[in-house]
Amino acid sequence: MADSRTRIEQTGFGATSRRDAWWLELLPVIIVLGGFSIYATWRALEGQHYEWGPYLSPFYSPLIKPDWWPLSPAILILWAPLGFRATCYYYRKAYYRAFLLDPPACSVGEPRHRYRGETAFPLILQNLHRYFLYLALIFLVILWYDAIAAFWFDGSFGIGIGSLALLANIVLLSFYTFSCHSFRHIVGGKVDCFSCVGLGGSRRAIWRSASFLNEHHMLFAWLSLFSVGLADLYVRLVASGSIQDVRLL
Ligand code: FES
């Protein structure tokens, strides 16, 4: 029986016996992920219109502005959430297919003749995902603080569209983070018997919740991508004076 390397060489890039429009799966990823990447890069470099009243754009949180730093403050912090998303197991599948065509889809010939997995530079860096998760958990706490602070206007409780946008964003980011494969592994991986380890009952409960969320990880990956972009866009529009904040309370 031929091994996978032989099969790839025999079929060649793009060759397939599939009769469906497999390439249609790639288009949404190219459009949405590509569009978000362009928007996020522009916003990160813009360096202005990132806060208004109690609102702070998630692209700029935590806001760190040292005197010696001449560029946008977003550049100092965005590498962490960016690294978390870029090394996410789901996003890898999406952008390996859509942008690297490696492979373009199941049972479709890929451009490489040799499969090395993620064992060599630069893809070996994908193994840093667990460490980006630790950073993402810190960011989550900070963004929850921002979302709660967004309900306080000059010391008084209030609700604006921006408050709701930041709240929806952090809820979806929380679902995305706690549905992470690495998080699930941290709480439940390597444990064959929960009742045999310390805090086994709690770990089992967290692991079961993480497992439930994990089944929907792809959904949370996309929803949180939209929410973070839209929350930033709303703050930008208000901060730049393009629109006025709508206060509901
Ligand atoms: Fe997607 Fe960890 S696997 S965030």
Side-chain angles (χ1 to χ4, degrees), residues 54-200:
Y55 304 158
L56 174 61
S57 161
F59 284 178
Y60 285 81
S61 181
L63 187 56
I64 302 171
K65 293 194 294 185
D67 294 337
W68 48 265
W69 181 251
L71 304 176
S72 165
I75 298 172
L76 288 174
I77 53 111
L78 266 190
W79 57 270
L82 178 67
F84 184 51
R85 286 210 185 242
T87 57
C88 164
Y89 289 89
Y90 166 66
Y91 280 116
R92 287 186 219 178
K93 171 189 159 190
Y95 71 78
Y96 281 1
R97 290 185 176 187
F99 293 100
L100 306 180
L101 304 174
D102 194 16
C106 285
S107 299
V108 178
E110 54 190 309
R112 295 170 204 270
H113 296 297
R114 200 157 66 89
Y115 177 72
R116 292 195 306 179
E118 291 163 343
T119 59
F121 185 82
L123 293 184
I124 197 171
L125 296 177
Q126 302 282 27
N127 293 296
L128 293 174
H129 185 63
R130 168 179 288 220
Y131 302 101
F132 280 118
L133 168 64
Y134 299 148
L135 292 172
L137 291 170
I138 297 171
F139 273 69
L140 220 52
V141 174
I142 295 168
L143 291 175
W144 266 108
Y145 175 87
D146 290 345
I148 293 168
F151 285 85
W152 293 93
F153 297 81
D154 296 325
S156 305
F157 179 77
I159 302 176
I161 295 293
S163 320
L164 299 178
L166 291 171
L167 179 63
N169 178 49
I170 189 56
V171 168
L172 289 170
L173 282 175
S174 300
F175 282 144
Y176 173 57
T177 305
F178 292 121
S179 65
C180 168
H181 299 280
S182 287
F183 178 76
R184 180 173 176 268
H185 180 76
I186 289 169
V187 294
K190 298 183 183 174
V191 179
D192 294 327
C193 167
F194 280 110
S195 60
C196 310
V197 296
L199 301 173

Side-chain angles (χ1 to χ4, degrees), residues 189-216:
K190 298 183 183 174
V191 179
D192 294 327
C193 167
F194 280 110
S195 60
C196 310
V197 296
L199 301 173
S202 306
R203 287 184 70 174
R204 182 170 181 273
I206 297 172
W207 176 77
R208 282 172 62 90
S209 302
S211 299
F212 171 75
L213 293 175
N214 182 255
E215 291 176 25
H216 310 285

